[in-house]
Amino acid sequence: MQLQGSYFFLVFLGIVSVTIDCSDHEHENTTMTTFNVLDYGAVSGGTTDNSRAFLEAWNAACSSEAENPTLIIPRRRFLLNPIIFNGPCNAQNINFLILGRLLAPKSPEAWKELDPGQWLAFHGVNGLKVAGPGTIDGRGQGWWDQSCKYHPKLVGCTSRAPTALKVLSCKKSSLRDIHVINSSQAHILIEGCDGIHIENLIIEAPGNSPNTDGIHIQASHNVIINNTIIGSGDDCVSIGDHISNIAISYVKCGPGHGISIGSLGKSGNFVQVENIHVSKVSLQGTTNGVRIKTWQVGKGYVRGVTFEDIFLDSVKNPIIIDQNYCKVSGACEELPTGVHISDVSFNNFYGTSSTNVAINLNCSRSVPCTGILLKSIYLRSAKLGQNVTSSCRNAYGIAFGVVQPSPCIQI
Ligand SMILES: *[C@@H]1O[C@H](CO)[C@@H](O)[C@H](O)[C@H]1NC(C)=O
Ligand SMILES: *[C@@H]1O[C@H](CO)[C@@H](O)[C@H](O)[C@H]1NC(C)=O
Ligand SMILES: *[C@@H]1O[C@H](CO)[C@@H](O)[C@H](O)[C@H]1NC(C)=O
Ligand SMILES: *[C@@H]1O[C@H](CO)[C@@H](O)[C@H](O)[C@H]1NC(C)=O
Ligand SMILES: CC(=O)N[C@H]1CO[C@H](CO)[C@@H](O)[C@@H]1O
């Protein structure tokens, strides 16, 4: 009787002390500022999936009441299956510090029942600060090997592959000092963001990897991309629809398809793209320099675009506007519609073109390009003894200062 009584008493005590322990920890943890994934069970080495540990660390950081919580990925290698870090978080700012290397699963098999369009994603997180100097490694070779683009005859080839890093629905966020390599498809997608600063990134994939855009931005406003080196198999930076206030500067691009606005208006939608400034960009061996491409079936506008201080080394289409963009040859007859392209300036371009048409302004007859400014442009052929030319269709505006090849723009 007595024994039993003290036994129960001890159990009772135990429960009480456990309970006290728990609330103590919770209290402690809500104000904790650093959340190291190793403390949440992450195992480095690259063979164990760590998505559970990362999510636990994220949930702790995200619900922390500290002012500036930081999730830390230490200087080791971590395999991560597809994962979404959801917001909103408690703090105004939340840091995601990548010191080590995040590895995507090597085989597309890991996506079997999951969305093949994504690997790492942040959704609805405001004040997100992703910082390096670590690496996000998409290990895309497995996807490239089965891509329909390069293996159209392969049974079961795929055209959708994971974007390495998606930042969706964010405000006042940043990506800094990270290295993003070998994504299966686009490296970084910014969508639905207002205010994001992307700085000091290196994005790197082979020039022949399929659709590996560097940074794709859509449905976003107030975006800065600065001091970034991008070499990949598609556009270094591509800009989609519903865009305003984008500043891109100090970007080195190549290999790749250049800096691209579009393609836009493919489904006959009303395009809204304005206020884009691209400056201090050097392009090396790319298939385009700066490009705007729209489908004839589209409506709406692309307006207020400046490209300035652009250096080009052996670029295929240094300056190109293609308002007749169409991938289905033979099925691209002239339409009475078009996306109006206006107030676009090309200022201070210098370098070489690897094709004969260095300036190509190919606009629509029904909705011509207007307010085009060409100023201080000096482009030569990359091939010795060859000349370059300009080609214009339905392009209106003015040329100013030295423009070589001589401009064909209509006043
Ligand atoms: C990217 O992938 C290619 C092909 O698999 C590989 O040769 C290259 O070393 C990888 N790049 C980096 C930086 O790891
Ligand atoms: C971009 O970087 C350059 C060179 O480091 C710097 O002078 C400039 O202020 C930066 N611009 C923005 C918008 O951050
Ligand atoms: C302009 O676009 C039309 C229609 O797509 C195409 O046939 C033509 O070759 C283009 N011209 C140049 C110089 O690219
Ligand atoms: C290039 O232009 C120059 C000057 O107009 C001319 O003398 C020369 O023959 C042209 N070269 C070629 C290959 O067309
Ligand atoms: C509930 C919870 O996450 N508790 C953790 C609080 O932090 C300490 C160390 O700082 C951990 O040991 C607890 O597991």
Side-chain angles (χ1 to χ4, degrees):
M1 215 37 205
Q2 229 205 330
L3 250 180
Q4 216 176 22
S6 57
Y7 175 69
F8 278 121
F9 183 66
L10 286 174
V11 169
F12 181 65
L13 259 187
I15 288 171
V16 166
S17 77
V18 165
T19 311
I20 287 168
D21 237 33
C22 247
S23 58
D24 258 9
H25 272 161
E26 252 163 41
H27 182 71
E28 207 173 83
N29 293 1
T30 49
T31 56
M32 261 171 62
T33 57
T34 58
F35 302 84
N36 189 322
V37 293
L38 292 175
D39 295 336
Y40 293 83
V43 178
S44 62
T47 51
T48 313
D49 167 42
N50 287 292
S51 40
R52 218 186 124 172
F54 272 58
L55 272 187
E56 277 177 24
W58 171 259
N59 289 337
C62 186
S63 58
S64 166
E65 271 156 29
E67 233 166 66
N68 225 338
T70 301
L71 181 146
I72 297 176
I73 298 149
R75 199 174 296 263
R76 301 187 197 175
R77 295 153 53 86
F78 296 97
L79 175 66
L80 263 188
N81 277 352
I83 188 170
I84 303 181
F85 301 104
N86 280 303
C89 296
N90 243 323
Q92 268 186 16
N93 291 304
I94 181 162
N95 304 299
F96 193 94
L97 187 59
I98 307 172
L99 303 173
R101 192 178 187 98
L102 302 182
L103 303 171
K106 252 192 168 160
S107 162
E109 287 287 296
W111 277 265
K112 228 173 190 169
E113 267 138 41
L114 301 170
D115 174 7
Q118 69 133 98
W119 173 36
L120 310 176
F122 291 93
H123 185 264
V125 186
N126 296 337
L128 172 70
K129 319 273 182 206
V130 179
T135 300
I136 291 175
D137 184 351
R139 301 204 292 184
Q141 186 75 53
W143 286 96
W144 305 338
D145 288 345
Q146 64 178 43
S147 106
C148 298
K149 185 166 183 183
Y150 289 139
H151 308 281
K153 286 184 186 142
L154 180 73
V155 179
C157 72
T158 48
S159 19
R160 237 179 131 222
T163 294
L165 175 61
K166 288 188 176 179
V167 183
L168 310 170
S169 302
C170 77
K171 285 193 174 110
K172 293 191 181 148
S173 293
S174 62
L175 308 177
R176 285 199 169 87
D177 309 312
I178 50 177
H179 201 151
V180 187
I181 63 174
N182 283 343
S183 180
S184 317
Q185 214 157 70
H187 285 77
I188 296 175
L189 168 73
I190 306 297
E191 183 177 335
C193 286
D194 186 0
I196 183 162
H197 197 144
I198 300 174
E199 198 168 54
N200 300 329
L201 260 51
I202 299 176
I203 298 174
E204 201 177 4
N208 63 358
S209 53
N211 303 111
T212 50
D213 280 339
I215 303 174
H216 181 71
I217 312 167
Q218 60 193 35
S220 293
H221 311 282
N222 304 307
V223 179
I224 294 173
I225 299 177
N226 200 16
N227 280 320
T228 287
I229 299 173
I230 305 171
S232 75
D234 209 322
D235 296 333
C236 286
V237 178
S238 78
I239 294 172
D241 202 352
H242 298 288
I243 283 291
S244 66
N245 301 339
I246 310 288
I248 299 170
S249 57
Y250 295 95
V251 169
K252 187 167 175 286
C253 167
H257 297 184
I259 308 288
S260 204
I261 300 177
S263 68
L264 295 164
K266 184 179 181 176
S267 54
N269 50 305
F270 191 88
V271 169
Q272 291 166 281
V273 172
E274 65 186 328
N275 204 7
I276 298 176
H277 301 280
V278 178
S279 65
K280 311 269 192 305
V281 170
S282 91
L283 299 123
Q284 202 153 40
T286 52
T287 53
N288 301 285
V290 297
R291 167 167 70 161
I292 302 176
K293 55 179 178 178
T294 62
W295 295 73
Q296 286 191 52
V297 66
K299 303 176 193 76
Y301 55 83
V302 173
R303 65 192 179 201
V305 181
T306 60
F307 297 105
E308 59 188 340
D309 305 328
I310 310 290
F311 174 79
L312 309 106
D313 178 12
S314 200
V315 167
K316 254 188 187 162
N317 300 295
I319 292 177
I320 179 165
I321 294 180
D322 184 0
Q323 228 183 346
N324 303 305
Y325 187 69
C326 180
K327 273 185 175 166
V328 198
S329 69
C332 312
E333 75 280 7
E334 208 170 311
L335 296 175
T337 48
V339 178
H340 186 200
I341 297 176
S342 65
D343 300 316
V344 180
S345 71
F346 302 91
N347 180 18
N348 203 20
F349 278 57
Y350 182 85
T352 58
S353 172
S354 62
T355 56
N356 292 335
V357 181
I359 301 178
N360 188 354
L361 307 176
N362 198 344
C363 299
S364 123
R365 185 153 56 166
S366 25
V367 189
C369 302
T370 57
I372 307 289
L373 170 71
L374 295 164
K375 187 183 168 206
S376 306
I377 294 175
Y378 188 75
L379 296 170
R380 288 160 298 125
S381 174
K383 298 173 201 139
L384 225 76
Q386 295 274 311
N387 294 333
V388 291
T389 60
S390 295
S391 161
C392 297
R393 283 172 76 193
N394 310 307
Y396 296 86
I398 55 168
F400 205 78
V402 174
V403 176
Q404 196 211 298
S406 53
C408 50
I409 198 144
Q410 294 160 268
I411 293 169

